[in-house]
Structure formats: C-alpha cells, structure tokens
Amino acid sequence: MLAAIAEVPRWRFVPAESRAEAWADRALPIAAGQTISQPYMVALMTQELVLVGTETVLEIGTGSGYQAAILSRLCRRVVTIERIPELSLGAKQVLESLGCTNVECLIGDGSLGCAEQAPFDRIIVTAGAPKVPPQLCEQLEFGGRLVIPTGTHQPQMLQVVMHTAQGIVTTDVCPCSFVPLIGAAAWSE
Ligand code: SAH
C-alpha cells in the first residue's frame, strides 16, 4: 500500500492551482465543489480493505480518480462510480494516461451499488452516507469487506462491514470527514 502511494503521482489528480500542495497530507478541492481525500485517509481505507491482489473492488465516489489509481495497483479490477459526469470523465482521462487499464469508470448513483456487476470482493465508499446502504451489503461477496464513512453530515465514523459466516459484522475505525454521498440510498440533494 505504501509503495502504491509512493508510485502514484497525486499531483496529476489535483487542479493546476493546487499542484504545489499535492503532497501535503490534507484533502484538496477538485472540480464541482468536491474534494480529493487526504492521503492518510486514502491509505487507511485501502489498508482496511485488506487486499491480496485478486479482488474486484467497487469504489463509490470516483472524484479525482486518485483512490482508484491506488486500488488499481493492489487488486485485479476496479469499478468506480461517480455521479458528476465532469469528474468521471476527468478521472478517466488521467487514469488512462497513467496506464491504469484495470479501472472501469461509470457515471451514476453509486449509493445503489452496481447490481449488474455484483457481487464484489471489496466495496469502498469515499463519501459520507447517513447509514450503510443495504444494497451495498447485498452486493458484497461472502468473506468480503466494505469500508464506508457513515453518520451525520459532518463528521462521520469510518466503518468496516464484513460479510462473515455469522452474517454482517460492523466495526468502527475512527472519526472522519467526507463530502456527502448523495443518492437514492443516501442523502437527498
Ligand atoms: N475517491 C475520491 C474522493 C472523492 S470525494 C478521490 O480519490 O478523489 C467523493 C465523491 O463522491 C465526489 O466526487 C462526489 O461527487 C461523489 N458522490 C457523491 N455521491 C455519490 C453517489 N451517490 N454515487 C457516486 N458518486 C457520488
């Protein structure tokens, strides 16, 4: 995970005016009033996914595409969904230019997951949800892990949801602060 962080040029995912700050350990603004997550949070969420390299990962909230680029180096395939077309298209371009050929960028409401391609070995939500959308639990492979910030608008609790033999088991990781997940199974616009 640290090697992936070291290798992926974060500056390629931030607007030109923020390039000087691209390696600062904080969230930065991107287009459409959204943010690229703090590198520490990207690393922590990636670590909580416990990837071995064979997984298909669903990411909800493509944003800049940075988290998807990190994941692309650590798993077999990434499907990433973004509700704002401008962001999805921008991310797709940068990911292609960096040779991340195992990432598929979709435009739509990721709060409902991606039923057509389910189940997923791992699911990562990079926007804050009021609660864990049930659709995401249903699309999680047996033995899989879902990493998601849930709670009020600000802050949220980073949670790990595991699909185990005992059923769905949820654990808290730490408080965090994300832009809202907006969609049918999340906050309304
Ligand atoms: N992972 C991103 C962080 C993006 S911030 C990165 O590495 O840069 C969260 C993103 O989630 C925003 O771009 C926002 O538009 C998107 N988002 C919010 N609700 C969504 C939904 N229901 N489906 C898909 N994307 C959503």
Side-chain angles (χ1 to χ4, degrees), residues 34-37 59-67 81-84 87 108-111 126-127 179-183:
Q34 304 304 313
T35 53
I36 175 172
S37 306
E59 180 195 24
I60 293 147
T62 312
S64 68
Y66 178 69
Q67 172 79 69
I81 310 179
E82 171 58 54
R83 63 184 284 273
I84 301 174
L87 290 177
D109 177 8
S111 72
T126 64
V179 296
L181 182 73
I182 296 169

Side-chain angles (χ1 to χ4, degrees), residues 48-121:
E48 291 296 338
L49 286 176
V50 191
L51 297 167
V52 300
T54 55
E55 299 86 355
T56 298
V57 180
L58 174 66
E59 180 195 24
I60 293 147
T62 312
S64 68
Y66 178 69
Q67 172 79 69
I70 299 292
L71 294 171
S72 79
R73 291 172 172 265
L74 299 170
C75 69
R76 188 173 65 83
R77 201 164 87 82
V78 182
V79 178
T80 181
I81 310 179
E82 171 58 54
R83 63 184 284 273
I84 301 174
E86 173 193 359
L87 290 177
S88 178
L89 298 173
K92 188 171 190 283
Q93 262 182 9
V94 179
L95 289 163
E96 278 173 5
S97 74
L98 292 175
C100 300
T101 52
N102 60 344
V103 181
E104 183 182 0
C105 294
L106 302 176
I107 297 170
D109 177 8
S111 72
L112 301 171
C114 180
E116 309 81 65
Q117 298 199 38
F120 296 93
D121 303 305

